[in-house]
Amino acid sequence: MDIKSIAKQVFNNKMFLIGMIMFFSILTVAVFANQVAPHPYDTINTAQALKPPQSQYLFGTDQYGRCIFSRVVYGSRIALKVGLIVVIIESVIGVVLGLLAGYYGGWLDRFIVFVTDLTWSLPPLIMALAIVTMLGPSLNNVVIAIAVVSWAQFARVVRAKTQAIKNMPYIEAARAFGECDFSILLRYILPNILSPIMVLVTLALPQAILSTTSLGFLGLGAQRPMPDWGLILSDGISYMERAPWISVFPGVAIVLTVLGFNLVGEGLRDLLDPRLKV
Amino acid sequence: MSDMMEYTVRRLTMGVFVVLAVTALLFAIMQLMPGDPIELVASPRVSPEKIAELKRLWGLDQPTHVQYFYWLGHVLKGDFGNSITTGQKVGVLIGARLPYTLLLAGSSLLLQYIIAIPLGLWAAYKENSRFDKTVVVSSVVFWSIPTFWLGILLMLLFSIKLKLLPVSGFKGFASIILPIMTATLPSLASTLRLTRTEVLEVIKEKHVVTAYAKGLTDKKVLIFHVLRNALIPVTVMFFLSLPWLIGGSVIIESVFAWPGIGQLLWKSISSQDYPVVQGIIFIIAILTVLSNIVGDILTAYLDPRVRLEMKGEN
Amino acid sequence: MLENPLLSVKDLSISFNTNEGKFNAVDGVSFDVNKGEIFALVGESGCGKSTTAFGLMRLIPKPGEISQGKIIFDGKNLVKLPEDEMPQIRGKEIGMIFQNPLDSLNPVYSVGKQIYEGLILDNIGKQDAWKRVVDIFNDVQISDPKERIESYPHELSGGMRQRVMIAMMLSRRPKLLIADEPTTALDVTIQAQILELIKELRDTFNTAVLIITHDFGVVAEIADKVGVMYAGKIVEVGDVYQIFENPLHPYTKLLMKALPRITKQEGRLETISGTVPNLVSPPKGCRFHPRCPMATDICAVEAPVFKEAEKNHRYCCHLEVKKRGTHH
């Protein structure tokens, strides 16, 4: 494919374009949060408590008079940071195990498949719940828990793709030239399965953000007064009748972020690997 | 069909190992948890000797693996132990809660498939039509919505603004509507999308042309050849998604104060009520592994090609 | 020959509207097939012969559609027939078998069930229908029919699957069988058996057969009449002995040379240089002229018209040929 036809495909894929625009908007907000947010996220001003949305407080205020808009803006940093770190960890674990299982086969393969089955024997959220409770509620522990329960998806796809190409002539040739296994895996197999991995990464990111905010909602993630979207949302429930905006706006932020990534991921799949099932 | 029997037995044996491994793992995790349940519930005035005696009574002074086998032995006899916080039998506690969760998860599962299959079939049949595009876009939007937020929005709209439905708890039929909607909408989106993708794939296969060439009408080809084949992966997904729904119940039940095991699990984790947590996890692990196995066996039943592969595996 | 032909295709065009532009995959094709006759449509892949066959069934894949012409079958113009009446033609009046019988059978139903499904469209009882399935398996020479009807497509050999397809498409005694490259995916020995079977069934049921092939070997084996197609057009049509003894169009001659000959040990398989042109912008004049070894100046300018060389034998080329007085 030449660059021109790729560009044409990209521009014909409206979902991908819209997703990219959403992604870059959110990224900009997160990077320039200090400039975008009119107030600090933790300034308490009880005189302004539970104010509905207005020009000074775009999304209204909570029971402590904190600006919800500013909290949501700063919250984007938590969501993106956590999502990114989770995805890096889970993809590294998944890709390494998938490569090893697919390439070597035998008992190693069977063992890795058994461990994969093990992580799928409980609903991911429940598994994550158990892990975070064990480690104690904190953002770092949420990252660990979500990575531990979601690497298996990567391992499954990478294993299948590795199995499919490990006996290709060019791999055999590399082996015949005395390339060691490590170099074959890294220089010959990995580059050839990069596109499904890229698709998986972009689709795992929104999933990670959803899981983080879910755990945040249960009070297991970032602790008060950190502006975690899930936490703001769950704290707002008690004020739902008097001040619904506290819970509504962080939700909008989650949906837009997750939707943006999902659209990019879907678009990327259409472009790179339309038959990949996730 | 004896191949099927053999396959079933093999999958079940494997399943038993997986359940044992995961419960043992979680048992170990529980032991590593900070805090000690006895010290948590006992008042500070209880003497250390008394606490030690209680620990002996509960078997908490034994090494972890001994405790695990002790627990497992009792579970196999149907005894999950007693709740540390309330003293009730764990089996009774779970038994009272489980039907509510299964009611919620089961009806949501049925509902999403009843809606998703015809819509997905139609969207694929009319590929690139306005209807199809609406289905594709709205399904991406819907599965980007976190359930807890969706639940809150629905509550705001139907209970607080329109005052049509009760806010939370279980007070008769009307109170199940919002939890079901919350559990159904996001998963409906992904089921719909899956059905559409699978139908699109089958519809391009050559045997569909044969079915037309045989003289079958559009309707018959779509139902008996396209949908029939596309339903194989969709059925597998049906069973694989049951555990997801049960997992999601932790959140939905806590939003709506629904008296199911999700809420119980959440409460027990917060109060470090180990026996209850153990029991619930054990039940959920069994449900998950069983539904995976049922899904696999059903695939083999629906798809003769998979049956052939099974023979090859032996 | 006062009887009307069973199938009369007149000036049929099938166009595709794609991103690269609109083109006619089939462009003004006309030919007749009589009752009980085997007519072979020959040409390289991409020349429109399969599209013609799918057009007769009104099963052209999107974005293709019939843009002009008539398909007179048994007195009815199929082009004008409403879509919801086509199921009464398909399978019942015209059967069709395909190149790859594994892909063409539904993997999840037993082969017997797939034949049964067509049979019960004709108001016959369940038991009669199953009896017919067994009978028709006997007709297509499948051994142990009672057990074989329970088999799934992937459990059968390639030749067996094609027999099942033939059984399916002949089970309702259609007047015409369309066979789209029926032997291409099969071994040479199985190929011969399947062709023999088609001939026998034609003799038994007097079914007309339209066979699509790229292989003049198949034509020689089975056909009564031949139409040679190139780039969406028929370039030569005639009785099989006329075509073999006296091929007139340069394309026909080249296709025949490409036929592998077992007798000539040293003979390499000849191929025609060049490829079938892009039909979005076909060559001006005669569409074959860029590849034609005998092309002259006029060929690039003016499209040739059909000429009759002898009775039933027509060709479409600027070259003049001497008419043969007799044939032997």
Side-chain angles (χ1 to χ4, degrees):
Chain A
M1 262 204 297
D2 59 309
I3 306 233
K4 225 173 157 184
S5 75
I6 293 176
K8 202 177 153 191
Q9 263 186 300
V10 168
F11 279 97
N12 282 337
N13 196 328
K14 286 201 195 72
M15 302 223 299
F16 180 71
L17 272 185
I18 294 173
M20 281 308 252
I21 293 170
M22 292 169 76
F23 167 67
F24 279 111
S25 317
I26 292 156
L27 197 65
T28 314
V29 168
V31 171
F32 297 104
N34 292 332
Q35 284 72 35
V36 176
H39 306 275
Y41 63 84
D42 52 356
T43 301
I44 292 175
N45 182 359
T46 38
Q48 298 291 332
L50 300 177
K51 289 273 183 254
Q54 50 190 268
S55 60
Q56 200 193 343
Y57 299 107
L58 273 179
F59 293 172
T61 62
D62 65 8
Q63 71 272 31
Y64 302 117
R66 290 179 297 194
C67 170
I68 297 295
F69 178 69
S70 307
R71 287 177 67 74
V72 168
V73 166
Y74 279 105
S76 64
R77 288 188 169 173
I78 299 181
L80 290 190
K81 195 177 74 189
V82 172
L84 215 64
I85 298 174
V86 165
V87 170
I88 290 172
I89 299 177
E90 67 173 88
S91 58
V92 168
I93 301 177
V95 169
V96 169
L97 291 184
L99 278 174
L100 293 177
Y103 186 72
Y104 288 105
W107 68 266
L108 187 63
D109 182 37
R110 255 171 290 159
F111 176 73
I112 291 173
V113 168
F114 181 76
V115 177
T116 322
D117 276 356
L118 217 57
T119 64
W120 275 333
S121 66
L122 274 182
L125 187 66
I126 292 194
M127 191 82 108
L129 213 61
I131 297 174
V132 180
T133 323
M134 174 190 79
L135 300 173
S138 82
L139 210 50
N140 285 344
N141 294 342
V142 164
V143 169
I144 295 172
I146 298 174
V148 166
V149 300
S150 45
W151 57 270
Q153 171 79 294
F154 281 86
R156 187 184 60 96
V157 174
V158 169
R159 172 179 174 264
K161 298 267 171 188
T162 307
Q163 279 176 337
I165 65 167
K166 75 171 178 189
N167 290 324
M168 292 278 189
Y170 64 94
I171 307 277
E172 301 267 348
R175 215 172 286 143
F177 276 111
E179 294 268 5
C180 66
D181 285 355
F182 181 75
S183 133
I184 288 176
L185 281 171
L186 213 63
R187 290 180 41 216
Y188 293 84
I189 294 183
L190 194 58
N192 280 294
I193 55 174
L194 225 46
S195 41
I197 293 176
M198 271 170 68
V199 176
L200 281 178
V201 164
T202 40
L203 289 174
L205 196 62
Q207 211 53 52
I209 293 177
L210 271 185
S211 311
T212 330
T213 51
S214 297
L215 291 174
F217 176 80
L218 291 172
L220 293 173
Q223 298 299 307
R224 299 180 184 87
M226 292 292 279
D228 180 281
W229 287 342
L231 188 65
I232 306 176
L233 212 157
S234 87
D235 283 347
I237 291 187
S238 350
Y239 298 90
M240 208 162 65
E241 297 197 31
R242 288 162 60 203
W245 52 86
I246 304 179
S247 293
V248 169
F249 287 109
V252 174
I254 299 174
V255 172
L256 289 181
T257 311
V258 172
L259 182 61
F261 282 118
N262 273 334
L263 290 175
V264 173
E266 293 267 317
L268 216 55
R269 175 185 26 206
D270 288 348
L271 292 173
L272 294 177
D273 198 347
R275 296 186 64 84
L276 183 72
K277 283 183 187 162
V278 187
Chain B
M1 277 300 116
S2 69
D3 295 315
M4 283 287 279
M5 279 298 290
E6 216 182 297
Y7 180 69
T8 310
V9 170
R10 209 148 33 97
R11 288 293 281 120
L12 281 173
T13 327
M14 186 70 182
V16 170
F17 275 109
V18 170
V19 170
L20 287 183
V22 76
T23 48
L25 209 67
L26 281 157
F27 201 94
I29 287 178
M30 285 317 147
Q31 302 299 312
L32 294 174
M33 275 195 190
D36 188 314
I38 297 289
E39 277 156 26
L40 205 74
V41 289
S43 75
R45 274 172 299 161
V46 178
S47 67
E49 294 78 35
K50 181 74 182 161
I51 287 180
E53 191 195 318
L54 271 175
K55 276 192 179 176
R56 212 170 317 116
L57 192 73
W58 294 91
L60 293 176
D61 56 341
Q62 301 286 322
T64 307
H65 67 273
V66 176
Q67 284 189 47
Y68 176 70
F69 285 113
Y70 180 80
W71 173 80
L72 191 66
H74 281 264
V75 164
L76 292 179
K77 281 184 257 163
D79 174 17
F80 287 90
N82 293 3
S83 158
I84 292 177
T85 44
T86 66
Q88 279 177 284
K89 279 204 160 301
V90 172
V92 176
L93 261 177
I94 295 178
R97 299 279 197 134
L98 192 59
Y100 288 96
T101 298
L102 290 181
L103 174 72
L104 190 58
S107 33
S108 149
L109 200 57
L110 279 182
L111 200 64
Q112 51 164 296
Y113 276 81
I114 290 171
I115 299 172
I117 290 172
L119 288 188
L121 179 65
W122 193 248
Y125 182 60
K126 296 276 172 198
E127 194 189 1
N128 291 329
S129 66
R130 185 171 297 179
F131 175 75
D132 179 43
K133 283 179 180 155
T134 314
V135 162
V136 170
V137 171
S138 52
S139 62
V140 185
V141 172
F142 268 101
W143 88 58
S144 303
I145 299 181
T147 48
F148 49 88
W149 188 64
L150 182 63
I152 289 169
L153 277 195
L154 291 174
M155 222 193 265
L156 259 176
L157 181 64
F158 288 101
S159 310
I160 295 176
K161 289 270 181 265
L162 302 173
K163 303 207 186 304
L164 286 176
L165 297 165
V167 176
S168 61
F170 182 79
K171 303 178 198 82
F173 176 72
S175 48
I176 198 180
I177 296 179
L178 288 185
I180 286 190
M181 275 172 81
T182 310
T184 306
L185 283 174
S187 2
L188 171 66
S190 60
T191 314
L192 183 54
R193 193 60 189 283
L194 175 75
T195 312
R196 178 183 173 275
T197 312
E198 294 298 333
V199 168
L200 274 184
E201 218 160 87
V202 177
I203 226 168
K204 287 179 184 119
E205 281 172 16
K206 288 185 180 138
H207 65 82
V208 174
V209 181
T210 310
Y212 278 114
K214 232 189 277 189
L216 299 182
T217 53
D218 243 15
K219 212 162 93 188
K220 277 194 178 160
V221 173
L222 276 183
I223 293 175
F224 294 111
H225 290 270
V226 176
L227 188 60
R228 166 66 176 75
N229 293 30
L231 276 184
I232 297 169
V234 175
T235 311
V236 178
M237 215 46 219
F238 181 93
F239 285 95
L240 288 185
S241 58
L242 184 69
W244 281 80
L245 280 171
I246 291 177
S249 70
V250 174
I251 286 182
I252 292 175
E253 289 176 6
S254 74
V255 170
F256 290 98
W258 184 256
I261 52 167
Q263 206 195 22
L264 179 64
L265 177 67
W266 177 227
K267 276 186 191 160
S268 315
I269 286 184
S270 328
S271 59
Q272 302 197 356
D273 196 341
Y274 295 164
V276 181
V277 175
Q278 282 290 344
I280 294 177
I281 298 245
F282 184 74
I283 298 286
I284 293 180
I286 287 186
L287 279 176
T288 310
V289 170
L290 263 186
S291 51
N292 285 355
I293 293 176
V294 172
D296 280 356
I297 292 172
L298 225 79
T299 323
Y301 181 75
L302 289 174
D303 192 341
R305 288 165 296 180
V306 175
R307 293 211 285 274
L308 190 80
E309 276 168 35
M310 274 157 37
K311 265 186 228 171
E313 257 178 50
N314 291 346
Chain C
M1 289 288 280
L2 288 170
E3 207 184 346
N4 283 330
L6 174 70
L7 171 74
S8 183
V9 177
K10 287 181 179 150
D11 198 25
L12 182 71
S13 292
I14 298 174
S15 61
F16 283 77
N17 208 344
T18 66
N19 291 336
E20 286 111 63
K22 193 173 174 169
F23 66 91
N24 282 347
V26 175
D27 197 354
V29 162
S30 305
F31 61 93
D32 291 345
V33 181
N34 293 315
K35 273 189 190 127
E37 185 174 78
I38 299 183
F39 186 100
L41 215 46
V42 197
E44 288 163 285
S45 59
C47 70
K49 52 197 196 316
S50 285
T51 310
T52 309
F54 281 97
L56 299 182
M57 292 291 265
R58 295 261 306 270
L59 286 174
I60 308 158
K62 280 177 207 166
E65 56 178 13
I66 296 177
S67 51
Q68 66 165 29
K70 291 179 188 168
I71 302 168
I72 310 292
F73 175 79
D74 213 18
K76 290 180 287 270
N77 183 0
L78 299 187
V79 176
K80 291 272 176 277
L81 213 61
E83 177 55 47
D84 61 345
E85 283 178 36
M86 275 316 288
Q88 278 115 61
I89 302 289
R90 297 183 193 130
K92 182 155 182 59
E93 305 276 334
I94 309 177
M96 184 164 183
I97 63 176
F98 306 92
Q99 178 167 2
N100 189 332
L102 180 59
D103 294 347
S104 304
L105 289 163
N106 190 330
V108 309
Y109 293 116
S110 71
V111 290
K113 170 89 191 170
Q114 295 187 53
I115 297 174
Y116 167 85
E117 189 185 26
L119 280 171
I120 49 162
L121 295 173
D122 302 324
N123 288 326
I124 62 169
K126 278 187 177 178
Q127 282 182 334
D128 286 346
W130 278 112
K131 244 189 78 192
R132 283 282 298 283
V133 176
V134 177
D135 289 347
I136 194 92
F137 264 42
N138 275 320
D139 289 340
V140 296
Q141 297 153 22
I142 293 176
S143 53
D144 302 324
K146 285 215 171 82
E147 279 120 68
R148 282 286 145 232
I149 58 173
E150 309 271 348
S151 303
Y152 290 93
H154 60 262
E155 297 171 329
L156 302 176
S157 67
M160 200 72 103
R161 285 180 207 133
Q162 198 56 289
R163 282 173 199 268
V164 169
M165 278 302 289
I166 294 172
M168 179 189 299
M169 290 308 175
L170 286 179
S171 62
R172 295 166 76 196
R173 301 274 182 276
K175 301 187 178 93
L176 173 68
L177 177 70
I178 301 172
D180 183 11
E181 303 265 6
T183 57
T184 308
L186 304 175
D187 290 347
V188 187
T189 47
I190 310 291
Q191 234 176 61
Q193 289 172 13
I194 295 290
L195 291 177
E196 191 55 37
L197 176 69
I198 293 176
K199 253 199 300 198
E200 277 175 37
L201 292 169
R202 187 273 306 262
D203 295 342
T204 323
F205 303 122
N206 200 32
T207 315
V209 179
L210 173 66
I211 188 166
I212 312 292
T213 180
H214 64 277
D215 180 356
F216 258 106
V218 171
V219 178
E221 197 114 2
I222 192 169
D224 302 319
K225 264 199 209 163
V226 184
V228 181
M229 262 187 103
Y230 184 76
K233 287 176 179 296
I234 287 196
V235 294
E236 181 164 6
V237 63
D239 292 342
V240 69
Y241 64 85
Q242 292 170 330
I243 299 287
F244 271 92
E245 284 176 17
N246 187 23
L248 298 175
H249 197 283
Y251 180 62
T252 313
K253 292 179 188 165
L254 285 169
L255 259 189
M256 269 201 266
K257 266 197 208 157
L259 184 72
R261 255 165 279 230
I262 302 163
T263 45
K264 258 172 139 188
Q265 291 286 326
E266 77 284 13
R268 268 189 307 125
L269 186 61
E270 282 189 53
T271 49
I272 310 170
S273 61
T275 52
V276 180
N278 177 0
L279 289 177
V280 176
S281 49
K284 285 221 164 52
C286 173
R287 288 183 174 182
F288 187 57
H289 84 263
R291 295 170 75 188
C292 182
M294 284 175 263
T296 55
D297 292 345
I298 188 166
C299 298
V301 184
E302 199 178 308
V305 289
F306 264 108
K307 295 177 191 143
E308 181 140 17
E310 52 193 310
K311 191 176 182 308
N312 292 340
H313 189 184
R314 297 179 302 136
Y315 69 106
C316 188
C317 179
H318 288 296
L319 286 174
E320 289 296 336
V321 286
K322 280 170 254 156
K323 292 195 178 175
R324 295 186 305 170
T326 52
H327 63 259
H328 358 276

